[in-house]
Amino acid sequence: MNDEPWKLIIDDLTERARELNCLYQIEELLRDTESPLEGVLEKVIEIIPTGWQYSPLCRAHLDLEGSSYETEGFEKVRCCQSAEILCEGEQIGRIEICYSDEVGCAGDRDPFLPEEQKLLNTIADRLGHYLFQRKLKAAVEQWSDARRQLDVQTKKQWQIVIDLLEKSDTKLLSRITRKMLNYLCWIGIEEARDLLHSVNVEREMSGGNEQEESDQNTASTILYDNKPSRKRSIFTAGRLSRQIFSIAQKNLNDAELLELIQRWVKENRVGFLVKTLENLDTSLGDLLDAVARYHYMEPEEIEITPYTRQNINVLLIHRLFTEQLDFIDIAKDYADLHDFYDILRRTIFPPNSHGRLGGKSAGLFIAGQILKRYSQDNPDLDRIRVPKTWYITSDALQTFLSYNDLEEILEQKYKSIEQIREEYPNIIQIFKNSMFPGEIINWLSACLDDLGERPIIVRSSSLLEDRMGSAFSGKYKSLFLANRGPKKERLDSLMDAIAEIYASVFSPDPIEYRRERGLINFHEEMGIMIQEVIGTRVGRYFFPAFSGVAFSNNEFRWSPRIQREDGLLRLVPGLGTRAVDRLADDYPKLIAPGQPGLNVNTTVDEILYYSPRQMDVIDMEQGGFTTVEFSKLIREAGNKYPNIENIVSVHQDGLLRRKNKVALNFDRDDLVPTFEGVVTNSSFVREIKSLMDLLQQKMGKPVDIEFAVDDRTIYLLQCRTQSAAAATRPAAIPKDLQEDRILFNACKYVSNGLVADITHVVYVDPESYSDLQTLEQLKNVGRAIGRLNSLLPKRQFILMGPGRWGSRGDVKLGVPVTYSEINNTAVLIEIARRKGHYVPDLSFGTHFFQDLVEASIRYLPLYPDEPGVVFNESFLTKSRNILEELVPEFAGLQQVIRVIDVPKVTDGQVLCIAMNADTDEAVAYFSSETGRPLAEEPGDQQPAMQRGEHWRWRMRVAERIAKEL
């Protein structure tokens, strides 16, 4: 019989974590009692290092009866272990194993596994026996007889395996025996079931008849009896093991037995990884060692059942990313063990770390895994990639705080929002002037070496970020770095950016956001992502061809032909910051991927007016993020700008035309970034739609992604579930309302909803706002709005004002507020007056807009000068203004900000706003139907107060605060 299967099974069996493979090869050599002893020992000393986990760095030395043998490069260092060689009770030699300095023995860290010392002792013991055998002729004869017993013609192959395990690894034999018994029971072998029953069930000898005893010992009795069963000794090896394999031999052929044993031996080789993961005290460093050990095992060495693989995946996802079960349920099916190693080897963590990578990292991980799984079978996904990324664990923030004695800053979240806002600038400077621990600095240096001198972005990835219902969109900072110059300067810039992101944990917006969602007592930790910036250097600037954000659902449609499921794209040239930020003086390109031909703007004049004028780039000479004019950059870059022919159109003779790249004249042509070629002449829109559809299907929820396009490759930068408000129906628009009952109506970009019981209107007069002369005066308007936001009854007031609230850029074009200064309003209304040049931005998809959607704050653009629009300006400008009563410190702004108590000036009426997206109509009207109870806020333990009581309570709060001020 061919002995190849025998060799294969021995190889597979004895390569358990390398040790048994080493032992088997040595055993093969020591069977040779005829060859010269010197030659045998030289081969033995070369084989020994293969049994150790870092075998390439392992060296061995053997002293035996006055002779020495050693592997090349052996040098005795501190990291060594040894074993004595005995023959007939006397020491005749010694084996030493040493690692090179590359492995290291820092602190109490021992690079040797406990099993390796046992292996070394076994090899020493075997060498002693071997020398004794060579000296005695009788031993040689006994050894020859033993070899004959191992011959496959006289003994079954699986029996040889079991005999070997009985002598070398009784624990593994016990596991295999247990698995064999369970397998035999599972395939219906009654003899095995009887044996399992007799082993695991203790009969209760209560004096009843045998039939009653048998009934009591059925499986149902075991499961449902209310008294504990008695403990028995579980089998390990020996007689019971032989009994089980005797039953197996009767019911399975040799090939089946060999295959089962081989599979179970391979499964056992990943047991060390499961043990490491299940140990809650395991640090991230130990976890990395275990995952690395698995990663470098040869594929033929291991075999994992689907159950074991899912268990390992769940444990790793829980350990590295999140405890959220909905995320784990999805991610476990797409995780790959080797991908965890790729992440961990680019993860920076403090000593004894138990931190996680944060929500943003988790979202990108699962999206990347889904993309990896399905991209090979879908051509639309073939050119989508994930950029190279490094990670800093969330507990590094606590290490940073402790290292700099800054723990008291954790108390910030319990202060008033006004105090937090006041102290935050100082916290930023404290953090930026603090130090990082040495081990973190070393890791960051290695990160820069890996990323090279390519621009990088340092992104937040807090534990709370990108969760369903709490996306924290734009609440924490992301900072771009040119990453140029001497290594020390680049490292200092990186640490400065990380410190600033750490400080953003204590800024007012995320703290207020957490309070709203009952998360204020959660111990927030901040993970960090360090990501390469996608793009190309053109002249002094570095940028992608274009970037943007995409949403599975389109929450605000500009055409009745667009369905919610058609999605939304926001495209901008250059970096994607202008796609996610709200801007005062610029516009993105809006596309519905499911209906790419339905444009927001249709006439040439509209397209010209609403096209992007600026682009964000990285200035490689000045070393930082900056904004430049698109037209100026395009003249300088010319055809070096990647994919330019699909981004621009030529404005000529009142028309917009596309030209190919060769025909474009960058000096004379009036080039407008319309993205017409991206929509009609490339596969980009189809590819993004395919990606969103895939992610939504596999994640079970609509998604929100960020991306950048470098020439022809699409890079996925972020993925999370899309923020969504509660489903709302179109409201019935009241007909035949008398004009004096209407405050305003609207007929453009209207969403669905009915907002009732509005008791207060906060109106920022566009003309008076435009007359303000200083930046401080403009900012004071935002501060006053923030104070009113904290005093007026939540969701019972509306904000009305010019332009684009909360935008980045020229504050003249919109009130400068942050989320924490408007988060209690019911409706945000942006007024566009022709004489004031205030135009609301269709900022659907920005972080600002997502906040409104998530908080169920309605948004409505208002165009008072459009035909057919009613705008009761006299009510807003002539009704009694109670601003000074509420916030006396801002009394000087009474001409700009008007606060109107609606019931007081309308004899008890309230304001209602009905919105209907189907008819694109909205109307705000006064109604006498009052008395509806206030909605209870999350976390409230008492019934909501009626309007009068609620308002009196608010006024008392306002009076107390006013006195304190």
Side-chain angles (χ1 to χ4, degrees):
M1 183 180 289
N2 191 332
D3 68 347
E4 285 303 316
W6 155 246
K7 290 184 178 180
L8 179 59
I9 189 58
I10 291 297
D11 284 342
D12 288 341
L13 174 66
T14 57
E15 281 186 39
R16 174 178 166 263
R18 300 178 182 269
E19 295 96 335
L20 293 182
N21 179 50
C22 171
L23 188 61
Y24 170 71
Q25 293 185 64
I26 291 174
E27 185 68 31
E28 286 289 306
L29 286 172
L30 298 186
R31 291 178 184 176
D32 182 5
T33 57
E34 302 298 330
S35 299
L37 177 62
E38 181 179 357
V40 174
L41 295 179
E42 286 176 349
K43 293 178 181 178
V44 168
I45 202 67
E46 292 296 327
I47 289 171
I48 288 176
T50 65
W52 271 251
Q53 62 172 332
Y54 303 117
S55 54
L57 304 176
C58 184
R59 306 289 184 267
H61 178 87
L62 171 64
D63 282 323
L64 190 63
E65 294 186 326
S67 299
S68 295
Y69 309 88
E70 63 184 28
T71 55
E72 184 179 354
F74 176 86
E75 182 178 352
K76 189 168 183 178
V77 294
R78 189 156 59 92
C79 294
C80 291
Q81 60 180 180
S82 63
E84 295 179 351
I85 302 173
L86 303 177
C87 186
E88 294 184 285
E90 295 183 0
Q91 182 178 347
I92 61 172
R94 174 181 292 274
I95 309 175
E96 288 185 294
I97 300 294
C98 295
Y99 278 134
S100 68
D101 289 336
E102 293 178 59
V103 175
C105 300
D108 296 330
R109 183 176 179 271
D110 185 357
F112 295 105
L113 300 174
E115 294 86 355
E116 291 172 347
Q117 183 64 54
K118 182 180 177 181
L119 173 62
L120 188 59
N121 293 340
T122 302
I123 294 171
D125 182 63
R126 191 65 195 90
L127 283 171
H129 284 291
Y130 175 67
L131 291 172
F132 183 70
Q133 290 169 342
R134 289 184 68 102
K135 293 177 181 178
L136 300 174
K137 182 178 179 180
V140 173
E141 292 174 354
Q142 291 176 8
W143 179 245
S144 298
D145 184 59
R147 289 184 65 190
R148 285 194 298 272
Q149 291 180 10
L150 291 176
D151 193 285
V152 292
Q153 295 181 357
T154 62
K155 206 166 194 179
K156 300 295 184 182
Q157 296 174 17
W158 64 268
Q159 291 174 323
I160 298 171
V161 174
I162 297 304
D163 287 349
L164 182 59
L165 283 176
E166 202 167 44
K167 297 174 183 177
S168 63
D169 196 336
T170 55
K171 287 185 178 180
L172 180 55
L173 175 61
S174 178
R175 293 191 195 101
I176 290 176
T177 303
R178 184 167 62 247
K179 288 177 179 288
M180 181 61 75
L181 180 58
N182 290 336
Y183 178 79
L184 292 171
C185 292
W186 181 71
I187 63 174
I189 307 301
E190 288 300 327
E191 189 177 358
R193 288 177 174 173
D194 292 341
L195 180 60
L196 179 63
H197 187 72
S198 67
V199 169
N200 291 322
V201 179
E202 175 67 29
R203 294 186 179 184
E204 298 289 342
M205 305 302 293
S206 59
N209 61 46
E210 292 183 4
Q211 181 60 46
E212 289 174 339
E213 288 180 19
S214 177
D215 292 342
Q216 288 174 356
N217 287 312
T218 62
S220 62
T221 302
I222 296 169
L223 289 173
Y224 300 112
D225 197 357
N226 290 332
K227 61 183 178 181
S229 59
R230 293 179 60 184
K231 183 172 74 173
R232 293 178 59 93
S233 298
I234 299 299
F235 61 86
T236 53
R239 183 186 62 80
L240 188 57
S241 174
R242 288 189 290 273
Q243 190 176 354
I244 292 169
F245 279 99
S246 175
I247 298 171
Q249 188 177 12
K250 296 176 186 177
N251 295 278
L252 301 172
N253 60 42
D254 289 346
E256 290 173 319
L257 282 167
L258 278 170
E259 184 200 357
L260 288 170
I261 295 170
Q262 182 181 19
R263 183 200 311 164
W264 293 333
V265 169
K266 287 182 177 181
E267 289 174 7
N268 186 67
R269 293 194 180 114
V270 297
F272 70 92
L273 182 55
V274 176
K275 287 181 181 178
T276 301
L277 287 167
E278 289 181 339
N279 184 355
L280 297 179
D281 293 329
T282 299
S283 71
L284 209 56
D286 292 336
L287 179 61
L288 173 56
D289 287 343
V291 173
R293 182 178 170 191
Y294 169 85
H295 177 76
Y296 284 110
M297 293 176 76
E298 295 296 331
E300 62 270 13
E301 293 179 351
I302 53 176
E303 184 170 320
I304 306 180
T305 66
Y307 323 111
T308 302
R309 186 178 299 278
Q310 283 215 345
N311 184 42
I312 292 174
N313 284 345
V314 167
L315 290 170
L316 279 166
I317 293 165
H318 181 275
R319 181 66 179 78
L320 292 177
F321 293 113
T322 183
E323 296 176 353
Q324 280 195 300
L325 294 181
D326 54 350
F327 180 88
I328 295 173
D329 287 343
I330 299 167
K332 73 180 190 314
D333 295 326
Y334 299 101
D336 182 270
L337 287 173
H338 295 287
D339 290 329
F340 285 112
Y341 171 73
D342 290 337
I343 288 176
L344 282 168
R345 69 187 181 90
R346 295 194 305 273
T347 297
I348 299 169
F349 50 85
N352 200 34
S353 171
H354 288 77
R356 291 189 170 101
L357 304 186
K360 199 171 288 183
S361 301
L364 188 60
F365 169 77
I366 189 173
Q369 293 300 114
I370 293 172
L371 182 61
K372 179 181 176 182
R373 172 79 62 86
Y374 293 98
S375 59
Q376 294 181 350
D377 300 325
N378 187 343
D380 285 344
L381 307 175
D382 186 55
R383 68 183 187 121
I384 303 176
R385 304 283 185 271
V386 175
K388 181 185 289 188
T389 306
W390 276 69
Y391 309 88
I392 304 178
T393 57
S394 57
D395 56 350
L397 169 59
Q398 185 62 52
T399 301
F400 176 84
L401 294 174
S402 300
Y403 191 77
N404 294 283
D405 297 323
L406 297 174
E407 290 90 345
E408 75 278 359
I409 291 180
L410 294 170
E411 302 168 2
Q412 287 295 114
K413 62 185 180 182
Y414 296 114
K415 297 179 180 179
S416 70
I417 202 69
E418 291 80 9
Q419 189 174 357
I420 293 169
R421 190 175 289 115
E422 185 73 25
E423 294 177 2
Y424 177 53
N426 186 45
I427 290 176
I428 294 176
Q429 294 308 315
I430 291 172
F431 275 50
K432 290 167 80 73
N433 284 280
S434 297
M435 301 294 294
F436 282 82
E439 61 272 9
I440 299 295
I441 295 175
N442 292 337
W443 273 109
L444 292 173
S445 177
C447 165
L448 290 179
D449 290 341
D450 182 52
L451 294 173
E453 294 192 33
R454 185 182 182 89
I456 57 177
I457 178 172
V458 185
R459 312 187 75 182
S460 65
S461 183
S462 84
L463 295 186
L464 291 174
E465 249 181 305
D466 289 359
R467 291 187 174 205
M468 191 64 181
S470 60
F472 282 80
S473 303
K475 298 299 179 295
Y476 300 119
K477 290 191 174 182
S478 294
L479 302 172
F480 288 91
L481 302 176
N483 193 29
R484 300 284 290 176
K487 174 74 172 292
K488 185 180 184 306
E489 290 182 9
R490 294 191 291 128
L491 185 58
D492 288 344
S493 296
L494 176 57
M495 290 188 292
D496 182 76
I498 294 169
E500 189 165 342
I501 292 175
Y502 281 165
S504 69
V505 173
F506 307 100
S507 63
D509 270 16
I511 291 176
E512 182 72 1
Y513 189 88
R514 289 166 61 189
R515 286 177 179 173
E516 283 188 331
R517 287 154 179 79
L519 298 170
I520 197 63
N521 294 318
F522 182 90
H523 180 60
E524 174 69 305
E525 291 184 349
M526 176 59 73
I528 297 287
M529 296 169 62
I530 305 171
Q531 208 170 54
E532 64 175 343
V533 176
I534 301 307
T536 305
R537 181 165 183 174
V538 179
R540 66 185 293 170
Y541 301 122
F542 186 97
F543 54 87
F546 60 93
S547 306
V549 290
F551 302 87
S552 298
N553 287 343
N554 193 332
E555 297 294 347
F556 282 75
R557 278 83 72 191
W558 51 86
S559 168
R561 292 169 57 191
I562 295 176
Q563 302 300 311
R564 189 169 187 255
E565 297 74 22
D566 287 330
L568 174 68
L569 281 174
R570 289 173 60 90
L571 303 184
V572 294
L575 299 172
T577 43
R578 303 183 78 78
V580 298
D581 288 343
R582 193 154 207 237
L583 305 169
D585 56 353
D586 212 357
Y587 304 88
K589 170 72 174 180
L590 298 182
I591 301 168
Q595 298 278 359
L598 296 179
N599 294 314
V600 180
N601 306 299
T602 54
T603 69
V604 172
D605 287 344
E606 286 178 336
I607 294 171
L608 292 175
Y609 187 86
Y610 291 104
S611 64
R613 294 178 175 82
Q614 312 286 329
M615 61 183 286
D616 289 342
V617 298
I618 297 176
D619 189 330
M620 302 298 284
E621 294 182 7
Q622 293 296 322
F625 174 91
T626 190
T627 300
V628 298
E629 288 185 20
F630 177 81
S631 59
K632 181 180 179 182
L633 185 143
I634 205 68
R635 283 195 298 271
E636 296 174 358
N639 58 15
K640 293 179 182 178
Y641 191 119
N643 210 8
I644 188 62
E645 68 277 13
N646 286 321
I647 295 174
V648 298
S649 298
V650 178
H651 180 221
Q652 186 177 11
D653 300 328
L655 300 174
L656 287 167
R657 299 187 182 90
R658 288 190 57 241
K659 291 184 179 180
N660 62 47
K661 196 170 187 176
V662 177
L664 289 173
N665 189 316
F666 295 96
D667 293 324
R668 292 195 301 271
D669 287 344
D670 182 7
L671 300 175
V672 182
T674 62
F675 293 93
E676 185 65 25
V678 172
V679 176
T680 62
N681 196 45
S682 76
S683 57
F684 167 76
V685 175
R686 187 183 71 244
E687 290 166 335
I688 284 291
K689 186 70 166 63
S690 295
L691 175 62
M692 287 193 295
D693 289 346
L694 173 67
L695 293 176
Q696 178 173 359
Q697 177 190 356
K698 301 306 176 184
M699 295 175 68
K701 296 182 180 71
V703 296
D704 160 0
I705 65 173
E706 295 181 18
F707 59 85
V709 179
D710 183 18
D711 199 10
R712 304 296 174 183
T713 303
I714 303 170
Y715 286 88
L716 179 64
L717 308 179
Q718 183 174 326
C719 175
R720 60 185 168 211
T721 53
Q722 184 176 350
S723 301
T728 54
R729 296 178 179 178
I733 304 298
K735 302 299 182 183
D736 302 322
L737 285 171
Q738 295 180 3
E739 192 163 320
D740 61 355
R741 289 187 60 196
I742 300 175
L743 179 60
F744 62 78
N745 66 3
C747 55
K748 201 171 184 181
Y749 310 128
V750 175
S751 58
N752 287 326
L754 175 63
V755 184
D757 286 354
I758 297 168
T759 60
H760 291 79
V761 174
V762 179
Y763 175 65
V764 178
D765 182 70
E767 250 187 278
S768 299
Y769 184 77
S770 67
D771 290 339
L772 295 177
Q773 299 299 312
T774 68
L775 180 61
E776 187 63 20
Q777 288 175 321
L778 294 166
K779 288 184 175 181
N780 274 338
V781 174
R783 296 186 185 108
I785 296 296
R787 292 284 291 116
L788 292 169
N789 179 71
S790 65
L791 292 173
L792 293 172
K794 185 173 183 179
R795 299 292 185 266
Q796 286 191 264
F797 69 95
I798 62 173
L799 294 175
M800 303 178 67
R804 310 176 196 181
W805 291 67
S807 58
R808 173 165 69 92
D810 188 355
V811 295
K812 272 277 191 180
L813 301 179
V815 182
V817 290
T818 62
Y819 172 76
S820 63
E821 292 169 319
I822 63 161
N823 64 304
N824 290 329
T825 189
V827 187
L828 181 68
I829 300 166
E830 297 186 331
I831 303 170
R833 302 306 302 259
R834 288 176 184 163
K835 56 185 176 182
H837 303 290
Y838 295 114
V839 180
D841 171 28
L842 300 181
S843 56
F844 314 145
T846 62
H847 288 157
F848 184 87
F849 180 74
Q850 292 305 104
D851 283 339
L852 302 183
V853 171
E854 197 174 84
S856 296
I857 297 172
R858 306 298 172 192
Y859 167 77
L860 191 63
L862 194 59
Y863 300 85
D865 301 316
E866 294 274 335
V869 171
V870 175
F871 184 63
N872 190 347
E873 191 171 12
S874 64
F875 176 86
L876 298 170
T877 58
K878 295 179 181 179
S879 296
R880 182 171 177 268
N881 185 1
I882 62 171
L883 176 72
E884 186 175 6
E885 299 174 24
L886 297 176
V887 283
E889 67 272 28
F890 294 108
L893 291 173
Q894 288 190 89
Q895 296 303 313
V896 181
I897 304 174
R898 303 188 60 81
V899 183
I900 302 168
D901 185 333
V902 176
K904 284 188 176 181
V905 301
T906 60
D907 295 326
Q909 295 187 88
V910 292
L911 186 69
C912 298
I913 302 178
M915 295 178 286
N916 190 313
D918 294 345
T919 60
D920 214 15
E921 292 179 280
V923 62
Y925 61 96
F926 300 108
S927 171
S928 58
E929 296 180 9
T930 62
R932 185 175 62 85
L934 297 174
E936 293 186 22
E937 298 179 13
D940 284 350
Q941 300 300 315
Q942 299 176 350
M945 292 178 273
Q946 296 297 321
R947 177 175 297 101
E949 295 173 344
H950 187 83
W951 175 236
R952 283 194 293 273
W953 174 76
R954 286 287 189 179
M955 287 300 295
R956 286 197 298 271
V957 172
E959 289 169 0
R960 187 184 73 243
I961 294 174
K963 288 178 181 178
E964 291 175 354
L965 292 172

